[in-house]
Amino acid sequence: MPQTASAPQTTFKRVLLKISGEALMGDQGYGLHPPTVQRIAEEVKSVHDMGVEICMVIGGGNIFRGLSGAAQGMERTTADYMGMLATVMNALAMQAALEQMGVFTRVISAIPMDQVCEPYIRRRAVRHLEKKRVCIFAAGTGNPYFTTDTAATLRANEMACEAIFKGTKVDGVYDKDPVKHDDAKRYDRVTYDEVLAQHLGVMDASAIALARDNNLPIIVFSLDEPGGFRGILAGQGTYTTVHS
């Protein structure tokens, strides 16, 4: 972990930021909220300006969630593909916001759609990062039955990221929902096995197991806290580290 410092310095050179699609809809019940997209893009730019290489994975739940579609009677595979396409829409929105700020960005899709974004080729993606471009990985893993949490963990390992930063609405991992329970306890550090055994809801079980098997730390923090992403990379702020 980075040490506390007054200057904006970080020991992380390459990280992956995972956010939900719901994070982009602000106070709306659906879709994209442009001011919220802009605010998150500013957070990403502030970390990019520190010299950190950034990957991103954004969920699609603000537009369509495969599990919800399947629960309503839609065939699961079709519903999941629709969810994957929703993540591409979110990735394009984030790309537009970042590039308006002068941050070079590539949207890289697990499902080829050459007129819209690049197909996923690992070596090419690594080269983009080396050139200080933000890489936004879209369409999950390209396969149904896998969440964007699992996709984020997979891409973070493939890109040799040093940590996954999971942006949420709360400032870490709690033993129960802090919105509903005033006595909820926040963990500073928690192991992968504890997350799985206690069903702490950091990520789905497949993602946690993949992170554990590759000793990839997950840092859970509040995306609603202004400057939170940059602050944690500078060794400040409140967060939970999931580790071995």
Side-chain angles (χ1 to χ4, degrees):
M1 289 297 298
Q3 299 298 312
T4 301
S6 56
Q9 299 174 344
T10 176
T11 58
F12 288 110
K13 295 180 180 179
R14 181 179 296 171
V15 301
L16 185 141
L17 174 63
K18 167 63 171 71
I19 62 176
S20 67
E22 288 88 347
L24 302 184
M25 67 187 186
D27 294 330
Q28 302 174 157
Y30 177 84
L32 289 159
H33 183 238
T36 300
V37 177
Q38 178 86 5
R39 178 182 63 79
I40 295 173
E42 289 170 354
E43 295 275 336
V44 174
K45 182 181 185 301
S46 71
V47 171
H48 183 265
D49 289 345
M50 297 170 72
V52 179
E53 297 172 3
I54 303 172
C55 308
M56 293 184 71
V57 171
I58 307 172
N62 57 319
I63 298 171
F64 189 88
R65 185 179 292 277
L67 274 173
S68 297
Q72 295 176 31
M74 186 177 294
E75 194 270 324
R76 173 66 187 271
T77 301
T78 299
D80 279 354
Y81 279 123
M82 291 174 69
M84 291 179 216
L85 295 177
T87 71
V88 177
M89 295 172 68
N90 285 337
L92 292 172
M94 183 58 62
Q95 178 184 46
L98 284 168
E99 294 201 333
Q100 284 178 351
M101 300 174 187
V103 178
F104 292 108
T105 309
R106 293 291 186 274
V107 173
I108 302 172
S109 172
I111 299 175
M113 46 186 84
D114 295 347
Q115 291 177 301
V116 176
C117 50
E118 290 187 10
Y120 177 69
I121 300 171
R122 189 185 68 83
R123 288 179 180 271
R124 182 185 292 176
V126 169
R127 186 61 180 145
H128 286 320
L129 291 171
E130 291 171 347
K131 291 183 177 181
K132 306 304 179 184
R133 297 165 181 158
V134 173
C135 288
I136 308 175
F137 296 108
T141 65
N143 301 288
Y145 296 94
F146 289 92
T147 67
T148 51
D149 281 344
T150 302
T153 310
L154 173 64
R155 296 293 183 239
N157 280 305
E158 289 179 305
M159 295 297 106
C161 291
E162 295 162 303
I164 296 174
F165 281 71
K166 175 73 181 288
T168 69
K169 292 186 176 296
V170 294
D171 59 354
V173 179
Y174 286 78
D175 60 349
K176 49 191 169 185
D177 189 344
V179 176
K180 299 178 181 177
H181 303 276
D182 293 336
D183 61 341
K185 173 189 173 184
R186 188 182 65 79
Y187 300 100
D188 287 328
R189 300 174 71 85
V190 64
T191 68
Y192 305 111
D193 289 339
E194 288 169 339
V195 168
L196 292 171
Q198 299 177 38
H199 304 286
L200 294 178
V202 177
M203 288 180 161
D204 66 75
S206 296
I208 294 295
L210 183 58
R212 179 190 61 192
D213 292 347
N214 293 278
N215 200 28
L216 178 67
I218 303 167
I219 297 171
V220 183
F221 71 104
S222 173
L223 197 64
D224 292 337
E225 182 69 28
F229 187 24
R230 178 186 175 93
I232 292 168
L233 279 155
Q236 302 159 358
T238 304
Y239 54 92
T240 299
T241 304
V242 183
H243 63 104
S244 58

